[in-house]
Structure formats: structure tokens, C-alpha cells
Amino acid sequence: MDKQLIVEAILTALEAKLAVARSSTQRAIDAATDEETVPEHKYDTLALEASYLAHGQAMRVLESENELNLMRQLKLRDFSQQAIAVGAYVELEDELGKQQCFFIAPCAGGLEVNYLQASIYLLTTQSPLGKLLKGKREEDEVTLTIGEKSKIYDIVTVR
């Protein structure tokens, strides 16, 4: 398991996300400034709505750029003898024996990347599971409770 290759996969996914956001922003700007969106009367709000959409898409571009910059600045280290923190690769196993792979990231929680035909999910330390894992070590156990449901995870691998 090469964490640098995982980070490269994450960067590729974030760059693709940024490209989509930029494209969406441009389409929204084009719609807001198109001749067909010029208001015909005071109740015609198509141009105004399109400008709101363009602003929202521009904010999405900024967020994507920030995520990309944070991931580029991430310093990788080995966590095999340390507590889980940002930059750790973690494998969990639930009580049914199902394993899941996570990368503790500074941002982009929920993003899924593929590495060696395995799915790796990004977790931030602000997420419920990320909060539980922070500070834990290999062979520890955590219990995630959401609503009335609880799920127990064994920490199998930390790198």
C-alpha cells in the first residue's frame, strides 16, 4: 500500500471535480448573460435566478480549489506506531466481517477513490466516524452510533 499513490488518486479526483465546477460555472454565467434571459417585465426573474446559480457555482469552484490546495500540501507520514490523525490510511472491519478502507483527509469527506481495485473513502476528523477514529490505534475498537443504530468497527490497519 503506497499512500503517495492514494494521494495522487485523490488529487486526480479533486482535479476532475474542479473541472466540472468550472464548466458548470461558465454555463451558469452564459445563461445569466444570454440575450434570451433579459427580463421582459418586472416579474421575469430568469436572469436573476441564473446569476444566483452562477454565484453558487463560483463558490463551488473556490471550495474545490481550496480542497485541491489542502491535499497538495498534505505531508505524508507513517501512522503504524502512532494514533490516527489526518494523513492516516485506515482499514476497518465491522461485526459482519466487512472491511472498508479510509483515508483521513483534511477535506473532501465522502469522496471515493479507487486504488488497486479497492474503494477508499475520504473521512475528515469532523465526521462522526472520523471523530471516533481520531487518536485511536491499530487493534482498537470503535462504536459508531447514529440515531438508534450502533455499529462496531475493529481497526485492522493503520498506516
Side-chain angles (χ1 to χ4, degrees), residues 20-33 54 57-58 61:
V20 168
R22 284 183 173 150
S23 174
S24 297
T25 300
Q26 189 56 53
R27 283 195 310 272
I29 289 169
D30 292 346
T33 57
Q57 293 294 351
V61 166

Side-chain angles (χ1 to χ4, degrees), residues 78-147:
D78 182 28
F79 286 89
S80 58
Q81 302 299 317
Q82 299 177 26
I84 296 172
V86 172
Y89 168 82
V90 180
E91 292 178 3
L92 301 179
E93 186 175 300
D94 68 14
E95 58 266 337
L96 301 174
K98 181 182 176 194
Q99 286 200 351
Q100 289 183 291
C101 305
F102 297 95
F103 186 85
I104 311 300
C107 58
L111 182 70
E112 177 185 354
V113 297
N114 290 310
Y115 170 73
L116 298 178
Q117 300 173 345
S119 293
I120 299 175
Y121 300 93
L122 270 63
L123 273 181
T124 65
T125 55
Q126 291 80 37
S127 69
L129 183 55
K131 284 179 186 177
L132 287 175
L133 292 175
K134 187 177 178 184
K136 300 289 189 225
R137 297 177 183 273
E138 200 169 288
E139 298 183 12
D140 283 350
E141 181 180 280
V142 295
T143 303
L144 177 64
T145 304
I146 298 177

Side-chain angles (χ1 to χ4, degrees), residues 44-57:
D44 187 356
T45 61
L46 186 59
L48 181 61
E49 292 168 7
S51 71
Y52 287 149
L53 179 60
H55 174 73
Q57 293 294 351

